[in-house]
Amino acid sequence: MIDKCEGCGGSATLQCPTCKKLGLPASHFCNQACFKTNWSNHKLKHKQKAVIEAITNGSAAMYPGYSYTGALRPYPRAPRRTDLPAHIGRPDYSEDGKPISEIESRGIGQIRVLNQEEIQGMRLAGRLGREVLDVAAKMVRPGVTCQEIDDAVFDACVARDCYPSPLNYRGFPKSCCTSVNEVICHGIPDTRPLKDGDILNIDITVYKNGFHGDLNETFLVGNVDETGRKLVEASYESLRRAIEQVKPGAKYRDIGGVIQKYINSCGFSVVRSYCGHGINQLFHTAPSVPHYSKNKAIGIMKPGHCFTIEPMINEGVWRDNLWPDDWTAVTADGKRSSQFEHTLLVTESGVEILTARQEMGGQPHFMDNL
């Protein structure tokens, strides 16, 4: 049987070597000139094959030459959502990605004391942020993609007339952060299906009436091994112990010592590159709240201060690397990381957790089925 040239239809003597390498059906050409003439159309077959493999297995080819620290790989992502209803209020970075008000406040360093009207605004943002996280929590199971979770988060924000704060913040392309296994924080939702045994952190922030409410939880996907469960449990317990220290007169720098002492006793480590932060009309502002001991954080807690505590706890070493997307922070040794976060208000007598769960005694979702 004489093979037919894919280009001109004549008798073919050459076979495309790339098709053969990729395991595609054989493509034949009559000569090199015909092959070059039709290359722009023919190479689409190779790209289609690459996309199918990426969706199935993840694609290291997305960042050629990058040395991944663990097994996770980026998958294709859907375009950024732009279908937010016009009536929903937006932060100043929603169009160009530049948080101008945040940038202008840098260097001042003063921790704002919120008035009663602002406190009510923070309470509403915190409550709605919790509702959105609870929506996302119901989706966590093997086979679901983080893209599907992100779409649900966007829709849940819209249903509450909220803007999803991460969306286009400094160019971030999604409505929430989804951090799987060795990802410490700022994972970008993509089309990778969750697998049995994964751990997944979902970080939610909503913007409502000019205020941000920020929280996150780590979830157990299916059957997680004992070390993974202990890591998640320890990360939550470290946050719980840290929150117990919040009261007027407490030093922000002392929070890290409480967290690190407990985590060291568990045999895990505390990430140092990322910290808790002040939050109000600005997504990130003073104070900085490091989660490790012997830090140099400045400030004394006063009633009306509003900030997050969000310790990132690693199974192995505390050091981190950054994927070439300039967002995804991963453990330097490829081992897993877990995190929990609440937005907190300092009161006259102690602390109010603005993002507390309203069901199950306030416990995080991973504890529901233990």
Side-chain angles (χ1 to χ4, degrees), residues 29 31-41:
F29 294 87
N31 54 48
Q32 285 288 349
C34 195
F35 183 46
K36 291 180 180 179
T37 299
N38 292 279
W39 173 248
S40 60
N41 288 327

Side-chain angles (χ1 to χ4, degrees), residues 233-254:
E233 290 168 1
S235 63
Y236 173 68
E237 178 62 16
S238 72
L239 173 62
R240 192 192 67 77
R241 293 183 180 215
I243 291 173
E244 287 183 341
Q245 310 305 309
V246 178
K247 59 185 177 182
K251 298 177 181 178
Y252 283 103
R253 67 172 181 241
D254 290 343

Side-chain angles (χ1 to χ4, degrees), residues 59-122:
S59 177
M62 192 176 291
Y63 307 124
Y66 178 71
S67 296
Y68 292 89
T69 63
L72 193 71
R73 297 292 183 271
Y75 275 57
R77 300 195 297 263
R80 177 165 66 93
R81 295 283 295 265
T82 58
D83 53 331
L84 193 80
H87 72 274
I88 293 179
R90 292 157 166 76
D92 61 2
Y93 54 80
S94 64
E95 294 298 325
D96 62 7
K98 298 177 182 178
I100 299 300
S101 54
E102 209 172 278
I103 293 169
E104 291 176 345
S105 72
R106 280 187 175 179
I108 298 175
Q110 183 176 358
I111 306 170
R112 288 196 54 221
V113 174
L114 304 186
N115 61 37
Q116 284 302 311
E117 182 178 353
E118 292 171 319
I119 288 172
Q120 290 303 318
M122 287 301 300

Side-chain angles (χ1 to χ4, degrees), residues 275-298:
C275 62
H277 54 88
I279 185 169
N280 39 62
Q281 292 95 332
L282 302 179
F283 195 170
H284 300 90
T285 187
S288 293
V289 188
H291 304 119
Y292 55 91
S293 61
K294 299 180 181 179
N295 64 76
K296 298 180 180 180
I298 298 171

